Amino acid sequence: MMKINLFIPTLNAGAKWNQTLAKIAEQTAVFHRKILIDSGSTDGTLQAPLLDDWEVMAIDKKDFDHGGTRQMAVEKFNDADIFIFLTQDAIPADKHALSILVASLENNAELGMAYGRQLPHLGAKTLEAHARLFNYPAQSEVRSLKDHEQYGIKTISCSNSFAAYRKVAFEEAGGFPKGLILGEDAYIAGKMLLKGWKMAYIANACVHHSHDYTVKEEFKRYFDIGVFHAKSKWIFEHYGRAEGRGFQYLQSELTYASKNNPLALPKSIASLFAKWTGYKIGLNHKKLPTSFNKFLSMHKHFWHST
């Protein structure tokens, strides 16, 4: 049986944290280690029930780096065959969610990584629900480098909110990079495929995970995605650009909102424009002063190191 280490970065995990821990405690998967990487929580995150068998790796909030922090944790706790990453607000939908994800790697030696389906949180709003339904459909699939002609940049679409990595493939791909504003999951997925590995989307391994972003937050988030793509141009070279995927999303969201909640259409239109504008500005962030980039960004700590 493969050894599994589970990693969750935490910072003031909030109201859903106890639900996340309770669902992890119910999992049929057997974990070799369960590790929290905490960035200085002050809300009782580390005093939550069900943490007795967890190990805590504490770092300073100012030192958090999406890729670098996770890489540091893997290097410290690398005594496993599979590394699973969750986020603190990703709640397993049933007791088999993590074992199903692991089984996909155990049953297919060509897979370097697998990520699961993200369902909207219970009670999610219209646009929040659509984002998950569009990006995480009900059909599983396996993708490799040759699929970039069909899928474009979607080929390396994945999320560290719920993903599992084979140690051998993870190390061969160079691990998570340091110094990215975000996107360490798509980055390593792209590197794995270039090394000849495949990746899988496992639709029957599910967590509840979604966000009700404001229009302003959507702008900032997509600005950061633009920055990530601008600093990782090799992704465009090997997998294509993101604009086509964005147009598909626009059509899908407007149709979904029209059918399910027409009152959400004004926010949908404003949000879609904010995403497009933020992304385009992010792609061209080098033309702007660092202080302005920091103002536009969701991840402001990133700009201290640039």
Side-chain angles (χ1 to χ4, degrees), residues 75-294:
E75 290 174 0
K76 184 174 181 179
F77 301 99
N78 69 347
D79 55 343
D81 305 296
I82 293 175
F83 308 130
I84 297 181
F85 283 87
L86 283 175
T87 48
Q88 62 192 20
D89 57 344
I91 305 171
D94 59 57
K95 65 181 181 179
H96 302 296
L98 275 67
S99 61
I100 291 171
L101 200 63
V102 169
S104 69
L105 297 178
E106 291 178 331
N107 296 332
N108 186 344
E110 294 183 308
L111 292 182
M113 71 161 294
Y115 70 106
R117 188 179 189 190
Q118 295 182 32
L119 302 170
H121 281 304
L122 300 179
K125 295 180 180 179
T126 303
L127 304 186
E128 180 183 357
H130 169 263
R132 289 300 177 259
L133 297 172
F134 180 85
N135 290 314
Y136 301 92
Q139 298 79 33
S140 298
E141 60 185 22
V142 174
R143 301 191 292 269
S144 65
L145 181 60
K146 65 180 177 61
D147 293 312
H148 79 276
E149 295 180 2
Q150 177 182 353
Y151 293 110
I153 203 166
K154 180 182 179 288
T155 308
I156 57 171
S157 176
C158 60
S159 172
N160 261 346
S161 289
F162 183 33
Y165 300 85
R166 188 187 304 274
K167 178 181 179 178
V168 175
F170 182 91
E171 293 179 344
E172 191 175 323
F176 293 129
K178 299 177 181 179
L180 291 182
I181 192 166
L182 47 68
E184 78 290 340
D185 37 21
Y187 187 102
I188 195 172
K191 292 293 187 181
M192 280 187 181
L193 298 196
L194 290 175
K195 292 288 186 179
W197 292 93
K198 295 181 179 180
M199 62 183 289
Y201 167 61
I202 308 300
N204 59 332
C206 303
V207 295
H208 288 280
H209 179 250
S210 59
H211 296 283
D212 180 27
Y213 289 121
T214 65
V215 172
K216 181 180 179 180
E217 287 171 335
E218 291 286 30
F219 174 92
K220 290 177 175 290
R221 191 166 69 94
Y222 273 77
F223 172 83
D224 289 352
I225 294 172
V227 172
F228 164 59
H229 283 160
K231 290 181 174 290
S232 308
K233 291 184 178 178
W234 63 270
I235 290 177
F236 288 159
E237 293 168 3
H238 291 285
Y239 300 101
R241 301 183 74 87
E243 282 82 351
R245 180 74 174 163
F247 185 67
Q248 292 172 10
Y249 187 91
L250 179 152
Q251 291 178 304
S252 176
E253 181 168 288
L254 291 176
T255 300
Y256 184 86
S258 297
K259 289 181 178 178
N260 293 278
N261 182 11
L263 293 177
L265 279 170
K267 182 181 179 183
S268 172
I269 293 168
S271 178
L272 290 165
F273 180 74
K275 290 177 181 179
W276 180 82
T277 306
Y279 181 71
K280 288 293 188 181
I281 296 174
L283 283 177
N284 293 281
H285 72 279
K286 290 185 178 179
K287 299 176 182 178
L288 302 172
T290 299
S291 59
F292 192 55
N293 286 328
K294 182 179 178 181

